[in-house]
Amino acid sequence: MGPGSTLQLAPKILVSTGETLSPTSTVSYRSRVPATISVDGTGRVTVLATSGSSTIYGSTSFRGQVLEDSLAISVLCTLELTLRWSPADSTIAVGERFTPALSLTTCSGYVTLTDTFAWLSIDPSIATVNPVHGEITGVRAGTTTVRASGLTWHVGAQIVVTVH
């Protein structure tokens, strides 16, 4: 499971005859590491951390016996990278300047990464861009693309800039 994932437990009792029954009383749940993976009274499991594992324990009374079982869960944080521009695209006037924000996240958005970007305008006759901090300046009317490439993660993104 990944960060923010949830799972609803649906306990069943398997008797030696092969028959499956539902518990006749409330099931009590607890997590061995609740800061990593929590479980509420209804059996809803929620991943709270970006790494780690926990064991979920459940117990109930059935026909005069206390039945217990457990489930081991590990957190899987994949390294997919997501780039988000703010704004997604922009229209500016000749001579106007702005610096877009670019965020880089992983683990389904739960982890924000820091990187240094190299900035480039495809057509600097329409809009120039500071290659270090990304400030874009409108030069003449038209549309161009501004690209940002990560130096650490080797990812790239682009924004369309229209100058009027």
Side-chain angles (χ1 to χ4, degrees), residues 48-95:
L48 302 174
T50 57
S51 65
S53 62
S54 184
T55 302
I56 305 299
Y57 299 95
S59 64
T60 189
S61 296
F62 185 78
R63 296 184 183 165
Q65 293 182 317
V66 175
L67 304 176
E68 298 178 318
D69 204 354
S70 63
L71 172 67
I73 300 175
S74 294
V75 180
L76 175 63
C77 180
T78 60
L79 287 179
E80 85 287 353
L81 298 175
T82 303
L83 288 161
R84 287 192 179 81
W85 286 89
S86 179
D89 292 315
S90 187
T91 300
I92 59 175
V94 171

Side-chain angles (χ1 to χ4, degrees), residues 37-133:
I37 300 173
S38 69
V39 62
D40 68 14
T42 67
R44 185 177 177 90
V45 176
T46 304
V47 176
L48 302 174
T50 57
S51 65
S53 62
S54 184
T55 302
I56 305 299
Y57 299 95
S59 64
T60 189
S61 296
F62 185 78
R63 296 184 183 165
Q65 293 182 317
V66 175
L67 304 176
E68 298 178 318
D69 204 354
S70 63
L71 172 67
I73 300 175
S74 294
V75 180
L76 175 63
C77 180
T78 60
L79 287 179
E80 85 287 353
L81 298 175
T82 303
L83 288 161
R84 287 192 179 81
W85 286 89
S86 179
D89 292 315
S90 187
T91 300
I92 59 175
V94 171
E96 186 177 353
R97 300 170 187 255
F98 82 101
T99 303
L102 185 58
S103 67
L104 179 62
T105 61
T106 188
C107 295
S108 303
Y110 282 84
V111 176
T112 300
L113 303 173
T114 309
D115 199 354
T116 302
F117 295 97
W119 301 82
L120 170 74
S121 174
I122 299 303
D123 189 344
S125 71
I126 295 174
T128 61
V129 62
N130 181 300
V132 176
H133 59 76

